[in-house]
Amino acid sequence: MAIFKSSIKIFKDDFKFAKKFISILKWFPHMRSLYDGIYNEIRKFESEEAKLLFITRPLTQFTSPKITVEEIELKRSLSHFKEAMKQGTPRLVELWLQFLMKKYLIYKSCENSQGLFKQAILDTAEFCLSSYNDMFTSKAYLIWIRLSLANEAIQNSKTLLDQALNRFQNDEHLWVTYLLTLVAESDQKSPDQNILNSFKRSFENVPKQKQSLLWETFFDYGFKVGINLESLIKDYKKAILSGCSDLERIKSRFISLAIQYYGNQKNIDQIRKVYTMTFQLAPKNELNIYKICIHFETEIARQFDVARQLFENAISSFGSTSRLWLDYIDWEINREQFKNISNLFWRAKNTLVQPELGKFLRSYGRLYANV
């Protein structure tokens, strides 16, 4: 104990150090008497992670889902949480609920223990909303809603989502959860006007720079229920020009969906229309966009000249990346275009600089040795 007290003078409020110290003690059963003293010191730490460690102490002995959790231990932890909330923060609420939800999922094979964690989540939500309403965040709501959905309580989930969105109407994750709940209830065979109206509301409320997940969800739904491609492309243009912070995610998803739904119909021209427009509207595309298009032209369209030109376009933007040159050479090896391989090697050697050049030369030797 003296060692720990001396150490925390140096590592003051260092949660990771304290946690490591406790994990070491577990290897020495005869020293378990030190636990109380150490946990009392941890109780003085200011970080929310340290507070959670103290709160969950009564439950640390239950490490296996095969061991039944005692109700009294969970009540003790819940009591510690309520006490800690006198100086608590929204972050502490989130951490405690995340801990409970994790345990709830772990104990799915033990119905009694899982029921206890479910009730603890419900009790925590009720306690926080009645006593610390301003500390119950959108993330806290999402955990509560996730529990409700896990129990297939759809109507209750929608009620909670409405309640949460009244407070956090700008939260993208709440809107996505709400929309996916509506979609799950629909027949998903044709566009539902109620769902489309809800998507419209979500885009009106969520800031444009934070809409990437919303756009993904909308395009997933649009392709699935057969919204007209021209209409989807119009919305896709809007998404690209919206100023969203994660454009690559939107572009990758839309092109992949177009390939998935139109590739099966061998509608090559429609897919090319989509990715050509992407390059025109957003010329600074990520390398992953090129890879998706190259895969499509190689494996589905079987248009190798078009795929080769896409490689060349990618080289123009990402020629300093050794991995791209190696992928290009590997692609030509699979086409048995050995003259092109030699040309690519010298082009790469004259283009790349260290350390990428060294990576290229080492990998090229291994790649070509298998030919």
Side-chain angles (χ1 to χ4, degrees), residues 66-84:
K66 295 180 181 179
I67 302 175
T68 303
V69 175
E70 295 293 340
E71 184 175 3
I72 190 171
E73 303 297 344
L74 189 50
K75 284 185 175 179
R76 189 174 295 149
S77 280
L78 188 56
S79 176
H80 287 333
F81 167 74
K82 290 179 178 180
E83 180 67 24

Side-chain angles (χ1 to χ4, degrees), residues 268-280:
I268 306 302
D269 290 339
Q270 291 283 30
I271 297 169
R272 284 204 182 117
K273 180 180 180 180
V274 168
Y275 80 65
T276 299
M277 186 197 68
T278 300
F279 290 127
Q280 290 171 345

